[in-house]
Amino acid sequence: MSQDEPDEISLDDIERMLRTYEGEPTPRVRPAQARASRIDRRAIVIIVAVAAAAAVAASVVLVLEHGSTHSDAALGPAVCRLALTFRGVRYLEVRLSSETLVRQGRRLGLGSLGGCAAPRKSVEVHALRGIDAHVAIGRRAYPGLLYLATGHCGNARSERELLACIRRTG
Amino acid sequence: MLRLAALAQQAIAGDPAAVDELLRELRPEIVRTVRLIVGSGSWAAEDAAQDALLDVMRGLGRLREPAAVRGWAIQVAVTRALKVSRRERRLMSLRVQADAYESPAPPADTRAAALKSAFDTLPPRMRAAAVLRLYTGLSEQETASVLGCTVGTVKSQLHDARERLAEALRAEGVVPQTASPAEDALL
């Protein structure tokens, strides 16, 4: 595969074109440079140990954006969660174990999704069948996600308890 | 690299500040990679880049090796980019063109513009192979791993991309080969 044949596009040509449109790529640290010294490795081990200990100590309580805290028992693994704002109510994203646990109903309108350093965007919001929209709502394109209004069912300890709670609340 | 691994470890452990910081670090590379695969300058590319960031954020809980967070994030982003690219190709085949939101820093020479137009018509996986190898800076092995194919396939995708691009430029009446310094001096 020669790059110097006439009438050919070289890989350099393509690379230059890509840079023209998106600018210089993020500089990459070569593996040799990235190799951790013993001190670095020790620091990582300490950071990891401290982080793990903090996670255990904090149990399942998460500090979410705007400084609000919520029990995370029913909300799955502890990572920052997106917040959906719809008609002045703030809902937090919950990933369900199956897409068939809740059924989507009529379209309610547009909400604003953001948080966790992700850019804010408008999304279509749908009601969930048998569930008060003040308690939980969904998005058409993501049947496996549920958006739980803050202040509702925060004490549920499992997905089953959460679903039972949102069905009887409202 | 070590910083990313430490941030990923803290993010998985549930530190919201670490999630924010990690996404800030990964964001430029993810956004640029996705845009180039989908087609810089279209709404579809902007949406895909945003969705890729959301995919990365949502998937953090499933990341098993914090040290591999960069490669994992690129893989998640490329999966999203390929999905959107395939959808866009189907729409193109129906002659429903996505609107361009703006022309991002249009190049002065027509050759680069023609090359970009031709590049955007390549099959999505071929574009992805080229972007990952030539822009993102992954090795052939890493590119193959992200795309779920062999190193040989990556090589042949790049070879085919060059041939197709040259052919497309010739069809447009643009000289494919860059003028050498000697040729420039004669002009």
Side-chain angles (χ1 to χ4, degrees), chain A residues 1-2 7 9 13 63 121, chain B residues 16 23 51 142 162 170 178:
Chain A
M1 189 169 72
S2 161
D7 282 1
I9 293 289
D13 285 333
V63 177
K121 61 188 271 189
Chain B
L23 288 175
D51 284 340
E142 289 168 330
R162 289 173 58 209
R170 273 194 294 272
T178 315

Side-chain angles (χ1 to χ4, degrees), chain B residues 13-84:
Chain B
D15 179 350
V19 174
D20 281 358
E21 189 60 25
L22 181 65
L23 288 175
R24 242 192 307 275
E25 292 279 334
L26 294 172
R27 183 183 168 142
E29 190 162 49
I30 288 176
V31 168
R32 289 169 185 165
T33 300
V34 170
R35 275 189 193 149
L36 284 172
I37 295 173
V38 177
S40 301
S42 68
W43 283 112
E46 291 303 305
D47 281 351
Q50 287 202 14
D51 284 340
L53 279 170
L54 294 178
D55 290 344
V56 167
M57 200 202 65
R58 289 193 184 110
L60 269 176
R62 297 192 297 275
L63 175 63
R64 294 284 165 262
E65 286 182 55
V69 65
R70 177 179 178 263
W72 170 84
I74 289 173
Q75 185 157 27
V76 169
V78 168
T79 301
R80 169 63 65 177
L82 288 176
K83 193 174 171 183
V84 174

Side-chain angles (χ1 to χ4, degrees), chain A residues 110-131:
Chain A
L110 287 176
S112 173
L113 185 70
C116 304
R120 190 157 279 279
K121 61 188 271 189
S122 289
V123 295
E124 268 200 14
V125 171
H126 284 256
L128 300 172
R129 290 190 189 177
I131 297 170

Side-chain angles (χ1 to χ4, degrees), chain A residues 60-64 68-73 75 90 92 149-151 154:
Chain A
V60 288
V61 176
L62 272 182
V63 177
L64 296 164
S68 57
T69 59
H70 292 265
S71 164
D72 189 43
L75 305 187
R90 195 159 163 272
L92 295 175
T150 52

Side-chain angles (χ1 to χ4, degrees), chain B residues 10-186:
Chain B
Q10 289 171 300
I12 294 167
D15 179 350
V19 174
D20 281 358
E21 189 60 25
L22 181 65
L23 288 175
R24 242 192 307 275
E25 292 279 334
L26 294 172
R27 183 183 168 142
E29 190 162 49
I30 288 176
V31 168
R32 289 169 185 165
T33 300
V34 170
R35 275 189 193 149
L36 284 172
I37 295 173
V38 177
S40 301
S42 68
W43 283 112
E46 291 303 305
D47 281 351
Q50 287 202 14
D51 284 340
L53 279 170
L54 294 178
D55 290 344
V56 167
M57 200 202 65
R58 289 193 184 110
L60 269 176
R62 297 192 297 275
L63 175 63
R64 294 284 165 262
E65 286 182 55
V69 65
R70 177 179 178 263
W72 170 84
I74 289 173
Q75 185 157 27
V76 169
V78 168
T79 301
R80 169 63 65 177
L82 288 176
K83 193 174 171 183
V84 174
S85 299
R86 288 187 195 109
R87 187 191 67 202
E88 289 300 303
R89 265 172 87 85
R90 280 198 295 275
L91 289 174
M92 288 286 277
S93 70
L94 296 170
R95 299 199 177 282
V96 182
Q97 292 207 355
D99 293 333
Y101 72 98
E102 63 182 35
S103 179
D109 66 304
T110 51
R111 188 176 177 282
L115 188 54
K116 170 69 164 56
S117 297
F119 184 81
D120 287 346
T121 63
L122 294 177
R125 286 179 71 83
M126 203 177 272
R127 269 182 272 161
V131 171
L132 292 173
R133 274 294 283 133
L134 305 175
Y135 184 81
T136 313
L138 300 191
S139 67
E140 284 176 341
Q141 183 63 56
E142 289 168 330
T143 303
S145 170
V146 168
L147 294 176
C149 63
T150 63
V151 169
T153 304
V154 171
K155 286 180 180 172
S156 78
Q157 295 265 28
L158 289 175
H159 180 256
D160 292 351
R162 289 173 58 209
E163 285 196 339
R164 285 191 188 211
L165 290 173
E167 199 177 310
L169 260 60
R170 273 194 294 272
E172 289 289 315
V174 180
V175 180
Q177 195 183 27
T178 315
S180 67
E183 285 168 334
D184 281 340
L186 292 173

